Amino acid sequence: MFDYAEAAVEAALAAGARYADARVMDRRHEAMGARNGEVEELTQEASVGMGVRALIGSGWGFFSTSDLTTASARRAGAQAAAIASASASVSGPALELTPVEARQDTWANDVREDPLSVPLAEKGDLLSNVTRTMKEHGADVALAGYDAWDTTKWFASSEGHRIGQHIVECGAQMNATVNGERETQRRSYPGIRGQYGTRGWELVRELDLPGNAARIAEEARQLLSAPECPSRDVTDLIIGSEQMALQIHESVGHAVELDRILGWEAAFAGTSWLDLGRIGSLRFGSDLMNVTADATLPGALGSFGYDDEGTPAHPVDIVRDGIWVGVLSGRDSAALAGLRSSGGAVRADGYNRLPMVRMTNVGLLPGTSSLEEMIAATDDGILMDTNRSWSIDDKRLNFQFGCEIGWEIKNGKRGRMIKNPTYTGIGPRFWGSLDMLGNESEWTFWGTPNCGKGQPGQIGHTGHPSVPCRFRGVRVGVRG
Amino acid sequence: MSDQLLDICERVLARAGTNVEAEVTITVGTDALTRFATSFIHQNVADAARRTHLRVALDGRVAESVGNQTDGDGIERLVRSAIEAAALRPIDPGWPGLAAPTSAPSVEHWDDATAQAEPAERAERIGAFVRAAGGLETAGFCSTAGETVAFGNTLGQRLVGRTTSAILDGIARTTTSDGSGHAASVRLADLDGDAVGSEATRRARESAEAGDLEPGRYEVLLSPSCVVNMLGFLAMHGFNARAVEEGRSFARIGEAQFDPSISLADDVAHPMAVGIPFDAEGTPKRRVELVKQGITSGLIHDRRTAKALGAESTGNAVSGAGPWGALPANLVMEGGSVSPEDLVGGVELGLLVTDFWYTRILDPRTQVVTGLTRNGVWLVEDGRIVRPVTNLRFTQSFLEALGPGNVRGVGSDLTLVGGATFGVGAHVAPSLHLASWNFTGGAKG
């Protein structure tokens, strides 16, 4: 496969590119879904192909093909260069790349149990059984599913990279929906997006779906008769780690993507409220807030050996003691921003997509409190968890998030269950109110397998180390 | 091309054998997209796409397999994978069987020039957009796509369809505002970079130095882009027969759930539509009336929900939709007779909104959705645009907003709305003047 990649790179250079790289990808994906006790879907997908990037002037040209022959690879390389050349009529300053060592290496993540080798019957039994249990415990609609990906990549560049990677990812989810007279409630486990990682089927076994199926169905049923989340302009809010993962993803992770900050995503995904001139001095949150982007975390969904332009995985400080100190970047965006090196955060979701800045594992470093200590320290507040809805503005400032379930906190104790909990805020103001942070024993590497970005659209796999947190003075209970 | 694709279908079905039910869809084409930001092209991509999707049923045991290789080995792997997986599956009691042979409507939304468009042609339109901005910073994209789809199943159904699409979408930016322009068509030749760029520039300049507005309930004048955004939620969570079957939908056939001025259909044959005239199960598409003068009158089905609810498939099965069920690809809301300018004249106290952003549903049954405005919002008083306002967050039931008595005007500006999720489907809608919209916060908090 390296030969095809190198043939494409040579052809792109011959056609005028000053830099080119090519990535051959062979990916298998398996997904199964069950509903109300029956396996309803099983899809196995296999794709193989090559994407070629050519840099000419101020922009990239990219061409992909599923024909893997030397002749086709050469045509793809020449085509990528031709597409880049066509941009010349609307061009800007020449795009530069930060330097990176041209390594020849291989990398693979640890997998104890190959998810694609686990018998389909066993996987089907797991899903059908948990959906049956949820039905038996009150769910009107019970869904469960898993996804597993097995990806092999061969990357070569005109600078001499030659990197092979084998990445296995998998995870699962289930949810119970109940219908009331005028409303629908849902409980998901372990979260709305399930739980995913760069791990084998052992991750799914550890989730213990069977041990949680009855509980979430019963909680969904209980929500129908629970009181509404109160509407308050100011309250103490404790957020569980699953919802915190979403909070980090939306209001920190996307905000620190350098392509957004530079305006490259302005028309679609949006920009960022962050001004590069203030990196190193801007207060993002309270002193308790420490965020890193670390693609080296074992088993987390945003982990890899090298990103899709050959930069080795490494941890990057994003927020240190509440001060914004870092960004998610690639070789081109880092060069334009005047950074010395790429953050190694450039990935594509398939052979046929142009690599772009994506989150790796963007998450909070743990603090010293436990969830129970947060509850005990709260006289009057709300506890929420499990994301239900999410909306944030195009600068990643104004957000409104909803959760599946909440509880009143009164005099340091967890009180009544409440339904339809929502909260809203402005990023730095909200993060500035963080005053209690979960400890290491509650540190969970949540995986988000469905982060959308880019045009044409790409689905990214990102990780979010997270802990429960307490925030002060938050507006909750926004209604339609 | 059609014969070649049907030949691949025949080879796949022959390899599957006579002891299984099988259906195969072959999709080939080129998707190309040129992106610009900070007023120059920075990403320019093309994909020679090819996808083969096979679904087999062995005595009701169902499995699907997807690949992108159509040589002998590729077909062998595809078929073997699906059949081996199906053999290990339990019987699916909801399996509806295959679509019987039926011809599809003779609809073809196709333009050779668009299918073969070169990157220079997209760059030409982007150049015109950038020049029209008169020095304002710009960003956006121009895309062209051509796709041919062949379908075959072991009952003898054979169909071929093809479609093209082209989109020019961008923003112009002042230091305090953004304004957007959008255009979509079957034909790249219909996209006028200067016109779209001028519209974006006008909106950006006219929304500059916007002031805050106290959140609350206001009338709204929504652009076709906003209306199409609303239709997506109504379709996915409401008119979708799977949602009805599961009790999650608001839709009640025969009830006046909408204002009498609202009529909505899914119609691939509409002259402004994009797409092919059959679905992922080989069922021909037909016009489906969803709302007729305010009365909910139809649902969107695939074969599974049709079997479950005793209906017929409407040809809206979507490959890979999973638990979502059937989705419409060609919604068309009937236009009115009032120009967008005259709609403004009818607003007493309201907001003129260009685009919605990041809309997410809070409750599918009540259709309560939160989201924000984007790319230009103006306060309208006594029929006149008074001033631009900063973006606002809303939390609003879309069902209530379109409910009986709540629609004050329907625009004549029927528009095909493309976008990032355009694919081969896109929806058509006019501007709407609605009586009340619940703005729950300013974008600054």
Side-chain angles (χ1 to χ4, degrees):
Chain A
M1 295 295 188
F2 279 120
D3 291 344
Y4 297 138
E6 288 174 347
V9 168
E10 286 170 12
L13 294 177
R18 60 189 161 93
Y19 169 86
D21 59 36
R23 192 170 29 88
V24 179
M25 276 183 72
D26 185 342
R27 171 176 276 182
R28 288 180 293 155
H29 172 224
E30 181 178 284
M32 186 185 287
R35 175 174 175 256
N36 297 342
E38 306 286 349
V39 173
E40 200 171 75
E41 287 178 90
L42 168 61
T43 302
Q44 296 173 313
E45 182 164 2
S47 67
V48 60
M50 176 172 59
V52 191
R53 256 187 352 164
L55 182 59
I56 295 177
S58 56
W60 293 104
F62 177 84
F63 188 79
S64 62
T65 177
S66 56
D67 279 332
L68 285 185
T69 63
T70 302
S72 176
R74 288 190 172 282
R75 278 196 301 275
Q79 190 68 18
I83 289 171
S85 299
S87 306
S89 64
V90 193
S91 60
L95 200 57
E96 303 297 335
L97 302 176
T98 53
V100 62
E101 181 187 353
R103 293 199 189 171
Q104 294 82 46
D105 197 6
T106 59
W107 187 88
N109 62 301
D110 290 332
V111 176
R112 292 210 298 272
E113 191 173 11
D114 175 16
L116 298 182
S117 298
V118 175
L120 286 170
E122 180 185 338
K123 292 182 279 197
D125 285 348
L126 171 68
L127 301 185
S128 55
N129 287 341
V130 296
T131 54
R132 196 172 299 119
T133 300
M134 286 188 281
K135 271 297 263 186
E136 290 166 357
H137 285 78
D140 290 317
V141 181
L143 298 173
Y146 73 81
D147 287 87
W149 297 266
D150 185 306
T151 306
T152 307
K153 306 182 196 184
W154 297 265
F155 174 81
S157 81
S158 56
E159 294 174 349
H161 291 91
R162 197 177 166 104
I163 295 167
Q165 293 193 82
H166 180 213
I167 299 175
V168 174
E169 306 152 284
C170 81
Q173 80 288 335
M174 63 179 180
N175 63 70
T177 298
V178 296
N179 298 313
E181 195 172 333
R182 303 170 116 182
E183 64 181 316
T184 297
Q185 295 294 338
R186 184 186 65 205
R187 286 293 285 132
S188 306
Y189 178 83
I192 185 175
R193 296 163 191 84
Q195 172 61 317
Y196 292 82
T198 48
R199 300 181 60 196
W201 191 252
E202 65 273 10
L203 182 155
V204 177
R205 295 193 192 283
E206 290 167 15
L207 292 177
D208 187 20
L209 299 181
N212 289 278
R215 175 181 62 80
I216 66 166
E218 288 162 1
E219 284 179 352
R221 185 62 58 187
Q222 290 163 16
L223 282 168
L224 287 178
S225 54
E228 288 276 346
C229 175
S231 291
R232 293 182 190 166
D233 285 342
V234 174
T235 198
D236 289 349
L237 175 63
I238 301 170
I239 301 177
S241 75
E242 194 265 5
Q243 173 60 25
M244 278 308 304
L246 181 281
Q247 180 75 47
I248 295 163
H249 179 99
E250 300 292 354
S251 74
V252 182
H254 280 306
V256 301
E257 291 168 341
L258 187 52
D259 54 352
R260 295 178 67 114
I261 295 170
L262 293 172
W264 292 358
E265 296 290 323
F268 178 51
T271 57
S272 173
W273 64 278
L274 294 166
D275 173 1
L276 272 181
R278 298 182 66 192
I279 194 167
S281 62
L282 179 74
R283 180 156 286 281
F284 202 119
S286 76
D287 289 345
L288 289 178
M289 184 183 187
N290 285 284
V291 176
T292 60
D294 187 353
T296 68
L297 294 176
L301 189 60
S303 292
F304 45 78
Y306 295 84
D307 76 353
D308 284 341
E309 50 184 13
T311 302
H314 62 281
V316 177
D317 282 347
I318 299 295
V319 177
R320 193 186 303 133
D321 301 329
I323 303 297
W324 175 44
V325 295
V327 294
L328 294 159
S329 64
R331 296 182 65 190
D332 52 3
S333 55
L336 186 58
L339 306 179
R340 281 184 301 177
S341 60
S342 164
V346 167
R347 286 186 290 164
D349 84 344
Y351 74 85
N352 61 348
R353 290 292 182 263
L354 179 71
M356 63 189 306
V357 173
R358 301 309 306 244
M359 288 176 230
T360 56
N361 299 303
V362 179
L364 278 169
L365 299 183
T368 58
S369 304
S370 70
L371 176 61
E372 293 313 315
E373 286 169 349
M374 291 178 209
I375 293 170
T378 303
D379 290 333
D380 185 11
I382 302 287
L383 165 64
M384 302 183 189
D385 202 9
T386 315
N387 181 246
R388 185 175 184 185
S389 68
W390 62 103
S391 173
I392 188 165
D393 75 355
D394 57 319
K395 292 185 170 55
R396 297 284 150 176
L397 261 179
N398 175 314
F399 62 82
Q400 180 171 315
F401 300 140
C403 292
E404 290 184 354
I405 194 166
W407 292 268
E408 291 176 334
I409 305 296
K410 296 281 186 194
N411 302 318
K413 297 193 182 315
R414 189 189 297 224
R416 295 184 303 173
M417 179 188 291
I418 54 174
K419 68 183 173 187
N420 303 327
T422 59
Y423 66 102
T424 187
I426 300 295
R429 206 181 301 161
F430 175 80
W431 284 103
S433 74
L434 169 67
D435 78 335
M436 294 185 85
L437 189 64
N439 60 38
E440 194 154 2
S441 70
E442 295 175 318
W443 204 32
T444 305
F445 296 175
W446 290 98
T448 297
N450 62 345
C451 174
K453 188 182 172 187
Q455 293 170 310
Q458 300 195 38
I459 303 298
H461 292 186
T462 66
H464 303 291
S466 171
V467 287
C469 294
R470 187 177 79 165
F471 299 86
R472 314 299 298 267
V474 181
R475 182 182 173 194
V476 302
V478 185
R479 295 203 214 300
Chain B
M1 173 69 79
S2 302
D3 290 344
Q4 291 171 359
L5 298 186
L6 282 173
D7 179 59
I8 298 171
C9 287
E10 298 296 350
R11 286 160 49 208
V12 172
L13 295 173
R15 170 61 188 85
T18 55
N19 295 326
V20 298
E21 296 174 273
E23 64 184 17
V24 60
T25 303
I26 317 280
T27 306
V28 298
T30 299
D31 288 327
L33 188 144
T34 303
R35 285 186 106 185
F36 60 109
T38 58
S39 299
F40 65 86
I41 294 171
H42 65 314
Q43 295 171 359
N44 208 339
V45 306
D47 173 32
R50 181 170 58 192
R51 186 173 190 266
T52 307
H53 179 264
L54 172 68
R55 183 164 68 162
V56 302
L58 286 167
D59 300 323
R61 302 168 196 275
V62 184
E64 298 176 54
S65 187
V66 181
N68 68 349
Q69 302 295 312
T70 51
D71 58 6
D73 288 346
I75 289 174
E76 176 64 25
R77 282 194 300 273
L78 183 84
V79 175
R80 195 174 60 234
S81 162
I83 289 179
E84 288 178 359
L88 296 169
R89 289 278 318 279
I91 291 173
D92 176 359
W95 169 242
L98 301 175
T102 323
S103 60
S106 57
V107 170
E108 188 173 84
H109 301 295
W110 180 265
D111 175 56
D112 280 336
T114 301
Q116 296 159 13
E118 295 288 339
E121 296 173 79
R122 294 188 295 276
E124 182 185 318
R125 282 157 180 83
I126 289 170
F129 186 108
V130 171
R131 287 190 296 278
L136 294 190
E137 186 176 297
T138 58
F141 73 95
C142 181
S143 68
T144 54
E147 180 179 86
T148 302
V149 182
F151 177 91
N153 70 23
T154 48
L155 287 186
Q157 176 72 315
R158 299 289 184 274
L159 296 165
V160 178
R162 60 179 187 169
T163 187
T164 53
S165 63
I167 304 173
L168 178 59
D169 191 293
I171 59 171
R173 318 183 70 194
T174 74
T175 54
T176 61
S177 64
D178 293 348
S180 63
H182 315 285
S185 173
V186 168
R187 290 164 295 278
L188 178 62
D190 291 344
L191 307 187
D192 182 338
D194 180 68
V196 179
S198 295
E199 178 73 351
T201 304
R202 180 188 65 75
R203 284 175 167 149
R205 292 194 192 285
E206 292 180 0
S207 60
E209 305 297 341
D212 292 344
L213 182 72
E214 188 66 23
R217 284 200 170 269
Y218 292 88
E219 295 170 68
V220 282
L221 183 49
L222 302 178
S223 72
S225 151
C226 299
V227 176
V228 163
N229 190 300
M230 296 173 72
L231 295 183
F233 288 94
L234 294 168
M236 178 173 284
H237 300 287
F239 300 114
N240 175 351
R242 167 63 69 103
V244 173
E245 180 192 357
E246 294 179 346
R248 296 183 283 112
S249 166
F250 65 82
R252 293 188 297 273
I253 303 291
E255 285 194 22
Q257 296 185 286
F258 296 88
D259 188 87
S261 62
I262 298 293
S263 289
L264 178 68
D266 185 51
D267 184 9
V268 73
H270 190 277
M272 296 176 77
V274 170
I276 61 168
F278 56 89
D279 72 358
E281 296 176 326
T283 303
K285 291 181 183 289
R286 55 186 167 86
R287 180 180 167 86
V288 184
E289 302 280 1
L290 301 171
V291 180
K292 202 165 185 178
Q293 295 177 339
I295 295 172
T296 300
S297 50
L299 300 176
I300 295 294
H301 283 281
D302 55 20
R303 291 182 58 76
R304 184 177 289 273
T305 59
K307 179 187 176 188
L309 297 178
E312 286 188 15
S313 171
T314 53
N316 291 99
V318 176
S319 173
W324 288 109
L327 297 170
N330 301 100
L331 290 172
V332 180
M333 179 178 276
E334 201 168 284
S337 56
V338 188
S339 71
E341 294 74 22
D342 287 344
L343 283 178
V344 172
V347 176
E348 290 177 29
L349 178 63
L351 292 167
L352 170 60
V353 181
T354 305
D355 292 318
F356 284 165
W357 169 246
Y358 223 120
T359 44
R360 291 292 184 275
I361 199 153
L362 302 184
D363 181 8
R365 186 85 71 87
T366 56
Q367 288 274 307
V368 174
V369 173
T370 188
L372 297 114
T373 62
R374 190 174 177 183
N375 298 327
V377 193
W378 296 269
L379 179 66
V380 181
E381 289 179 352
D382 299 325
R384 287 187 314 109
I385 295 173
V386 196
R387 64 179 175 91
V389 300
T390 51
N391 284 316
L392 291 154
R393 173 172 291 286
F394 57 82
T395 307
Q396 170 66 48
S397 163
F398 286 177
L399 194 60
E400 174 195 83
L402 298 173
N406 291 340
V407 180
R408 294 193 175 169
V410 179
S412 57
D413 53 339
L414 214 53
T415 304
L416 175 69
V417 177
T421 54
F422 190 52
V424 295
H427 307 304
V428 177
S431 295
L432 289 179
H433 173 194
L434 305 179
S436 178
W437 198 265
N438 186 25
F439 291 98
T440 48
K444 293 178 185 169

